Amino acid sequence: MYPLNVVLVGIGENLLPHVRRELANHSANLECEYRTVPGALDGLRACKADMRLFIHHVRQPEDVEELRRLNGGFVGRPILALVEAGKETRTLLAANRAGASQIVPLPFQSDDFRDALNCLGLQFGYPATEKRVIAVSGTTGGCGATTLAINLAYEIAFRHNLHCILGELALQMGVLATYLDREPKITIHDLLSSSSRLDVYMVQQALINVAQNFDILAGPHMAIAPLSVSAAEVIHLVDLAKALADVVVLDVPCTYNDLYFEILVSADHVVLVGEQKVPSIRALKLVRDTLGSEHATMQRVVINRYDGRVEGFTTDDLEKLLGARGQTVANDYVSVNAAVNHGRPLRLEAPQSAVLNGIDALVDSVLGVADHKGCAPGASGGFFGRLAHAFRAK
Ligand SMILES: Nc1ncnc2c1ncn2[C@@H]1O[C@H](COP(=O)(O)OP(=O)(O)OP(=O)(O)O)[C@@H](O)[C@H]1O
Ligand SMILES: [Mg+2]
């Protein structure tokens, strides 16, 4: 979904079908169309301050004055100017001086128009503040980290109406695409392989939409040679994903190497997943000790497939061992398995599953807590403001 509403102003009849088609390809919401700039100023008077993209057609040099009026009437709002300039580059420059944020010379070329749209979407469509990165990591293989990461991300998107990207940081072989029945064309492996050239457009191209507000960046679909990357390269990729979403959830495989710990420490919140088994609890303790007490507030311990009857491994017992009270997620083999087999998040497969209660409590705890970087819940109008609104609305 294109992040800005679009208003067309003075687009000629010949051009209209091309523009409309490209906007439809971008799933952009075409808010309204006006034949003239005064018409737009008049029609949008009541909601002048809303952020939206204007597309204006400059057919002749005299139209540049209209463009200037449009810019003056909607200060701070982006304008894409479609300019009939022929060989006359002065008109292009004049359109720029009159306030066009992007200029697309005519005759119309889809690629150029698309690039201009994407650029404006990134510049104006995504608020740059208050993004969150949540790293989810199992502490021993198979304890359910990927399952929790998928459903955590989906619940954030679905219940809190926040755009969420789930990135699978598997460098050799991923399962995310299989779990969600998708065929990735570009994987995280491809993005990290070209990390010196990596930009936000490349990340955008690699996103696979799973549901409204929920996109994934899948790990390599088939087993391939492992990639050697630095933490800085991975963190750069995460930063680019952050530009495109409200929340980024990372599925981080437990490798216990420097890269692993550096990724965890760079996140805003870390969800450590374990199960009621000695090796898993030992590994949980090791990871917590290595992360150190200064990162304690950003951590959540989750015991997956929890069974309160397992002697010596109740939440009270584990609290004594780990120095932190773990949250629990129920064991529901039938529902979780069905969700994987049908390639969809649990909410869409088995909304009554008890697993979702644990995941939703985790989401609330992660998103609702005071931020370890110093921002209290509800303290701002943006991210936490929207969360507070979402909680009130329930
Ligand atoms: N709460 C649960 N109830 C029942 N089954 C679950 C639950 N969580 C995960 N599973 C199942 O456990 C298996 C392992 O889950 P998953 O792949 O998410 O683990 P992982 O920690 O990501 O594994 P890996 O170490 O391979 O990355 C899967 O078959 C999954 O369906
Ligand atoms: Mg996994």
Side-chain angles (χ1 to χ4, degrees):
M1 178 90 184
Y2 191 69
L4 293 163
N5 282 348
V6 179
V7 173
L8 303 184
V9 185
I11 309 287
E13 291 300 324
N14 293 346
L15 202 52
L16 260 179
H18 300 288
V19 174
R20 285 187 187 140
R21 188 188 59 238
E22 283 305 322
L23 292 175
N25 289 344
H26 271 71
S27 310
N29 178 34
L30 181 50
E31 193 181 339
C32 42
E33 299 181 16
Y34 294 98
R35 298 175 83 84
T36 62
V37 171
L41 289 167
D42 203 33
L44 297 171
R45 188 171 305 158
C47 51
K48 216 171 156 179
D50 291 358
M51 180 53 80
R52 51 169 74 87
L53 167 65
F54 291 93
I55 301 182
H56 184 231
H57 188 179
V58 177
R59 286 177 244 211
Q60 51 209 1
E62 295 74 55
D63 290 347
V64 170
E65 275 319 301
E66 291 296 287
L67 177 61
R68 200 185 306 280
R69 279 187 78 184
L70 186 66
N71 187 43
F74 299 97
V75 175
R77 306 296 171 256
I79 302 174
L80 187 160
L82 296 160
V83 183
E84 314 264 7
K87 293 195 176 77
E88 185 56 89
T89 49
R90 264 188 311 176
T91 313
L92 299 176
L93 195 60
N96 182 244
R97 294 286 181 274
S101 326
Q102 285 282 324
I103 294 168
V104 174
L106 297 171
F108 189 87
Q109 287 183 36
S110 297
D111 287 355
D112 196 26
F113 183 73
R114 206 174 307 140
D115 286 349
L117 264 190
N118 283 335
C119 181
L120 293 173
L122 289 169
Q123 274 181 300
F124 295 91
Y126 303 99
T129 55
E130 299 187 81
K131 308 300 183 81
R132 287 296 177 276
V133 177
I134 304 168
V136 180
S137 179
T139 48
T140 38
C143 60
T146 301
T147 303
L148 294 198
I150 290 172
N151 292 295
L152 184 84
Y154 181 79
E155 294 296 296
I156 289 170
F158 169 74
R159 286 180 59 232
H160 297 295
N161 199 26
L162 293 167
H163 181 207
C164 191
I165 293 177
L166 169 60
E168 182 181 39
L169 292 185
L171 298 179
Q172 192 167 7
M173 170 75 191
V175 295
L176 190 55
T178 309
Y179 273 26
L180 290 168
D181 194 20
R182 294 297 193 278
E183 225 14 272
K185 289 196 180 73
I186 305 170
T187 69
I188 279 211
H189 190 281
D190 300 320
L191 296 178
L192 288 170
S193 305
S194 47
S195 63
S196 57
R197 296 180 289 116
L198 191 60
D199 62 22
V200 80
Y201 305 108
M202 291 168 75
V203 178
Q204 202 169 36
Q205 301 295 313
L207 291 179
I208 305 172
N209 183 253
V210 174
Q212 192 182 352
N213 269 338
F214 179 32
D215 296 315
I216 61 167
L217 285 173
H221 199 34
M222 282 163 271
I224 44 165
L227 192 64
S228 167
V229 287
S230 68
E233 288 170 311
V234 176
I235 291 165
H236 176 54
L237 169 59
V238 174
D239 281 343
L240 295 174
K242 256 165 89 169
L244 297 167
D246 297 311
V247 180
V248 176
V249 174
L250 302 174
D251 178 3
V252 190
C254 49
T255 50
Y256 308 120
N257 55 12
D258 287 351
L259 179 63
Y260 171 77
F261 284 106
E262 283 180 60
I263 293 169
L264 293 195
V265 166
S266 74
D268 297 287
H269 302 279
V270 175
V271 175
L272 297 173
V273 186
E275 54 189 339
Q276 292 166 295
K277 289 180 182 164
V278 171
S280 186
I281 302 305
R282 278 210 182 123
L284 257 178
K285 186 153 173 47
L286 175 110
V287 173
R288 277 176 56 75
D289 289 349
T290 310
L291 286 172
S293 54
E294 71 271 31
H295 296 293
T297 53
M298 65 194 271
Q299 292 171 33
R300 297 286 173 284
V301 170
V302 179
I303 306 301
N304 190 25
R305 292 187 285 246
Y306 180 76
D307 180 346
R309 294 164 303 179
V310 180
E311 222 174 290
F313 289 92
T314 64
T315 41
D316 288 341
D317 298 323
L318 296 176
E319 187 172 358
K320 284 180 208 135
L321 285 168
L322 296 169
R325 189 157 187 90
Q327 294 181 240
T328 60
V329 172
N331 189 353
D332 181 356
Y333 174 82
V334 173
S335 302
V336 172
N337 212 32
V340 173
N341 286 341
H342 293 128
R344 49 191 188 171
L346 191 55
R347 169 82 51 192
L348 300 178
E349 178 67 33
Q352 78 296 343
S353 171
V355 169
L356 288 173
N357 301 338
I359 289 174
D360 287 345
L362 179 63
V363 170
D364 293 353
S365 138
V366 171
L367 294 185
V369 288
D371 176 18
H372 76 289
K373 287 182 181 161
C375 181
S380 65
F383 182 85
F384 282 113
R386 272 193 283 159
L387 277 183
H389 179 76
F391 285 129
R392 278 198 297 275
K394 272 191 289 163

